[in-house]
């Protein structure tokens, strides 16, 4: 703990044995073959889909490789969105870099998916949480912990995850999630089929939003072949690895609440007179999203307005600002909801409790 | 440490430079992880092809090397899981195991085999951490980055793994002291 940075206990004898173990490995010269494999005219192009923009884009690098015949010249892949280009600033001071394990740790906002209720039954919502950069195991661990927003719940038992990693490079490969208990292959008593598929979907989406669109394989502890079922949900046969089963995300409208608030975060605090910035994604009739700021106790409405999540069918980002000038200190609920042209109470809603002080 | 100004390199030059400097050591690293040399060579070639394709983004030999290492570790892990590498290696060994002579060379070969066997028995994270630590001499922070785990996890994998190795290889360690 107290040893200086990057200092190992020296273990020379063991190190010598390990180095020596491969000292006689002399690989053949394959440079010519490598040149041949990389010489192809640049047919591979990288496209960043615009549809998925969201406030978590800071931690989201989504790349889709498109093979085409008559695309650009020889420059190779065009640069992707830089993983460090922030689409919005971290939502709260809790997300500033922290010192853990005696080393400087870079925290990045990541979307972690939880389950909440909607007029259509349980659906996924998400919280933007600080997660150590590149720490996939840490990210999935959050999925089995209680969310900050009391409206949400996790469907995973505590400490359900042992590890998570990415087997591949770039957008090319798949995630491996190791569960802590082989019994998680079956659907636990009391969990509905919808809930179990949402639980699996929460893992897939949290990893894919943060690290790219690889498929996700689950492993029982100590096992080296992917599980066929997780919480009773059957994995798909992977189209690219015959005989291997894995999961990919389901269509947004099947699994997500139709409105998702990414900012503010639950419990966020504002000085009096500050501006509340909000952002999220919604699939609403004509893109219409209504927001409201009301007193947590007594429900007095402070302010209300509309913004649009424009684009067409499906999910689109929305954002806006609420001027807090003259709003007295205290606890408030900030809520958003989708349009309900039917008038039958079918609005989807999401909210956060915030404090002005 | 890092060779000449990186920005001037195009993807092809970068590939050649990285190949010249790191091909052998990365294959050896992969052998520590997957044991089978031909699998290791495939894994590392794929990693070079990937870094070539990604050069537009990396543009810096240090970053490219970190990416290469990461790709080698990840691809080694996935090769182990998907291709039954262990079984293949075992089959090959069975075929080629002739009566061993008690000369120096065969003693060395036995020792090397024992070390690779001992590595094989470790959980994959421990094996990865120890290979990066002992063979590439990476720092704790570099290992954490390469494996996408916390430095605390690197520490605990390293200490558990080296304890297990010390027991498994006790005979060879005593010889050397």
């Amino acid at each position: 703990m107290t040893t200086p940075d990057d200092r190992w206990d020296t273990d020379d004898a063991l190190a010598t044995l390990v180095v020596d173990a491969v000292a006689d490995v002399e690989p053949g010269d394959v440079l010519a073959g490598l040149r041949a494999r990389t010489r192809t005219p640049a047919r591979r192009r990288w496209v960043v889909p615009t549809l998925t923009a969201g406030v978590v884009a800071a931690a989201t690098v989504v790349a889709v490789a498109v093979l085409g015949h008559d695309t650009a010249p020889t420059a190779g892949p065009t640069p992707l969105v830089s993983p460090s280009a922030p689409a919005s600033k971290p939502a709260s001071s809790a997300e500033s870099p922290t010192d853990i394990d005696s080393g400087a740790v870079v925290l990045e906002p990541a979307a972690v998916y939880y389950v909440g209720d909607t007029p259509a039954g349980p659906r996924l919502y998400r919280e933007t949480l600080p997660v150590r950069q590149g720490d996939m195991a840490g990210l999935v661990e959050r999925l089995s912990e209680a969310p900050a927003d009391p409206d949400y719940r996790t469907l995973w038992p505590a400490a359900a995850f042992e590890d998570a990693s990415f087997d591949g490079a770039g957008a090319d490969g798949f995630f491996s999630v190791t569960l802590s208990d082989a019994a998680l292959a079956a659907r636990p008593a009391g969990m509905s089929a919808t809930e179990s598929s949402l639980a699996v979907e929460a893992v897939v989406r949290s990893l894919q939003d943060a690290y790219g669109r690889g498929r996700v394989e689950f492993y029982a502890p100590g096992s080296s072949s992917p599980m066929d079922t997780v919480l009773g949900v059957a994995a798909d046969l992977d189209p690219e690895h015959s005989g291997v089963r894995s999961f990919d995300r389901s269509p947004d409208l099947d699994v997500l609440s139709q409105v998702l608030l990414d900012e503010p975060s639950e419990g966020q605090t504002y000085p009096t007179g500050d501006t509340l910035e909000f952002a999220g994604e919604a699939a609403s009739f004509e893109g219409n999203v209504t927001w409201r700021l009301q007193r947590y106790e007594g429900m007095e409405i402070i302010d209300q307005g509309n913004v649009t999540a424009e684009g067409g069918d499906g999910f689109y980002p929305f954002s806006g600002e609420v001027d807090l000038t003259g709003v007295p200190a205290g606890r408030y609920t900030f809520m958003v909801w989708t349009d309900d042209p039917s008038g039958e109470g079918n609005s989807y809603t999401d909210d956060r409790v915030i404090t002005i002080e | 440490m890092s060779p000449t100004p990186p920005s001037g390199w195009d993807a092809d030059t970068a590939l050649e430079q990285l190949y010249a400097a790191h091909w052998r050591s990365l294959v050896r690293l992969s052998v520590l992880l997957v044991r089978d040399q031909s699998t290791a060579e495939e894994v590392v070639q794929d990693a070079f092809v990937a870094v070539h394709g990604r050069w537009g983004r990396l543009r810096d030999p240090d970053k490219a090397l970190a990416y290469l290492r990461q790709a080698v570790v990840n691809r080694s892990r996935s090769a182990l899981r998907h291709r039954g590498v262990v079984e293949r290696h075992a089959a090959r060994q069975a075929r080629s195991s002739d009566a061993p002579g008690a000369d120096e060379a065969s003693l060395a070969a036995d020792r090397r085999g024992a070390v690779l066997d001992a590595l094989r028995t470790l959980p994959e994270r421990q094996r990865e951490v120890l290979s990066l630590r002992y063979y590439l001499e990476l720092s704790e922070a570099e290992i954490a980055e390469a494996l996408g785990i916390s430095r605390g996890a690197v520490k605990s994998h390293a200490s558990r793994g080296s304890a297990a190795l010390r027991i498994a290889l006790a005979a060879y360690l005593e010889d050397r002291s």
Side-chain angles (χ1 to χ4, degrees):
Chain A
M1 285 292 153
T2 54
T3 50
D5 206 16
D6 295 347
R7 192 60 67 79
W8 294 100
D9 325 317
T10 44
D11 208 341
D12 291 342
L14 210 44
T16 309
L17 274 183
V18 170
V19 172
D20 172 69
V22 287
D24 60 343
V25 173
E26 290 297 341
D29 185 354
V30 298
L31 183 57
L34 278 176
R35 282 207 192 100
R37 283 177 68 185
T38 54
R39 194 182 296 127
T40 46
R43 291 199 173 151
R44 200 159 214 231
R45 209 168 51 149
W46 295 88
V47 176
V48 180
T50 52
L51 186 93
T52 49
V55 290
V56 290
T60 310
V61 182
V62 182
V64 179
V66 177
L67 292 163
H69 286 288
D70 45 9
T71 50
T74 50
T78 48
L80 296 172
V81 171
S82 158
S84 59
S88 80
K89 57 186 158 59
S92 78
S93 59
E95 290 172 12
S96 56
T98 314
D99 204 40
I100 304 174
D101 288 345
S102 82
V105 169
V106 181
L107 295 178
E108 286 181 327
V112 181
Y113 285 80
Y114 298 107
V115 173
D117 293 314
T118 75
R123 286 286 187 276
L124 292 179
Y125 289 85
R126 63 192 178 210
E127 291 190 341
T128 307
L129 300 176
V131 172
R132 276 180 289 203
Q133 198 173 40
D135 183 4
M136 299 182 193
L139 174 63
V140 296
E141 216 175 290
R142 307 299 295 261
L143 288 161
S144 65
E145 294 167 0
D149 191 322
D151 297 332
Y152 306 157
R153 59 189 184 275
T154 177
L155 294 169
W156 287 96
F161 302 100
E162 202 172 274
D163 200 3
S165 58
F166 186 65
D167 297 347
D172 189 16
F174 41 85
F175 297 98
S176 301
V177 174
T178 308
L179 299 176
S180 60
D181 186 351
L184 292 167
R187 171 143 56 98
M191 187 182 280
S192 73
T194 306
E195 286 175 327
S196 56
S197 34
L198 288 176
V200 174
E201 183 77 22
V203 178
V204 174
R205 286 193 174 251
S206 300
L207 284 170
Q208 291 187 344
D209 279 10
Y211 300 110
R213 286 286 169 91
R215 299 177 64 89
V216 181
E217 294 176 348
F218 288 80
Y219 291 86
S223 160
S224 61
S225 40
M227 297 164 77
D228 290 339
T229 64
V230 176
L231 302 177
V233 185
D236 307 322
L237 275 174
D238 186 329
E240 285 174 27
H241 299 89
S242 53
V244 177
R245 291 188 176 271
S246 59
F247 292 88
D248 202 352
R249 61 171 57 199
S250 308
D252 292 347
L253 285 167
D254 293 351
V255 293
L256 298 181
S257 160
Q258 290 183 16
V259 64
L260 300 164
L261 258 184
D262 292 313
E263 199 187 347
S265 52
E266 183 74 8
Q268 195 162 334
T269 299
Y270 299 85
T272 40
D274 202 7
T275 301
L276 181 159
E277 292 176 355
F278 62 93
E281 282 186 299
S284 184
F285 180 69
E286 295 184 337
N288 208 4
V289 176
T290 308
W291 59 265
R292 175 188 288 174
L293 181 68
Q294 67 182 36
R295 280 245 187 219
Y296 183 73
E297 271 116 26
M299 301 193 189
E300 177 199 348
I301 297 172
I302 306 296
D303 202 357
Q304 181 167 324
N306 290 289
V307 290
T308 46
E310 265 176 311
D313 287 341
F315 281 81
Y316 289 90
F318 65 84
S319 61
E321 291 182 357
V322 184
D323 182 3
L324 300 178
T325 307
V327 181
R331 290 176 85 198
Y332 294 84
T333 303
F334 179 77
M335 57 203 322
V336 288
W337 64 90
T338 58
D339 247 17
D340 174 25
S342 75
E344 289 167 1
N346 289 328
S347 282
Y348 288 73
T349 177
D350 198 3
D351 63 42
R352 299 280 185 263
V353 175
I354 60 148
T355 302
I356 300 174
E357 52 180 29
Chain B
M1 271 284 280
S2 68
T4 43
S7 39
W9 291 1
D10 61 14
D12 291 340
T13 314
L15 178 78
E16 285 176 23
Q17 298 287 340
L18 289 165
Y19 176 86
H22 303 291
W23 162 244
R24 190 170 71 172
S25 68
L26 289 171
V27 170
R28 289 179 172 185
L29 171 70
S30 183
V31 169
L32 289 172
L33 301 175
V34 303
R35 176 133 203 192
D36 183 68
Q37 184 177 336
S38 65
T39 304
E41 291 189 25
E42 272 170 46
V43 158
V44 179
Q45 286 184 62
D46 289 348
F48 274 106
V49 171
V51 83
H52 178 274
R54 215 51 57 84
W55 181 250
R57 265 180 88 195
L58 300 166
R59 292 193 173 281
D60 170 346
D62 287 340
K63 269 193 213 148
L65 181 56
Y67 178 92
L68 259 178
R69 269 185 218 133
Q70 202 173 359
V72 168
V73 173
N74 288 341
R75 284 164 192 265
S76 296
R77 187 188 309 138
S78 109
L80 269 186
R81 285 180 173 174
H82 288 275
R83 294 186 210 155
V85 175
V86 183
E87 293 72 12
R88 214 157 73 190
H89 179 80
R92 210 169 288 171
Q93 283 295 100
R95 260 179 278 128
S96 66
S97 74
D98 296 324
D103 53 36
E104 192 108 345
S106 81
L107 283 176
D110 287 350
R111 185 181 63 236
R112 286 169 180 157
V115 174
L116 294 174
D117 284 343
L119 280 170
R120 272 252 57 82
T121 63
L122 299 179
E124 72 191 6
R125 285 294 194 199
Q126 294 180 16
R127 183 167 58 246
E128 290 166 4
V129 167
L130 291 183
S131 301
L132 292 171
R133 167 182 171 177
Y134 291 144
Y135 185 69
L136 290 190
E137 297 181 332
L138 296 195
S139 72
E140 197 177 284
E142 288 169 319
I143 296 174
E145 194 205 335
L147 299 182
I149 59 180
S150 71
R151 295 177 50 173
V154 171
K155 257 187 206 134
S156 77
H157 289 312
S159 74
R160 271 185 261 158
S162 59
L165 270 195
R166 240 176 266 124
I167 294 166
L169 300 173
Y172 299 100
L173 290 167
E174 278 157 19
D175 282 357
R176 300 176 147 257
S177 55

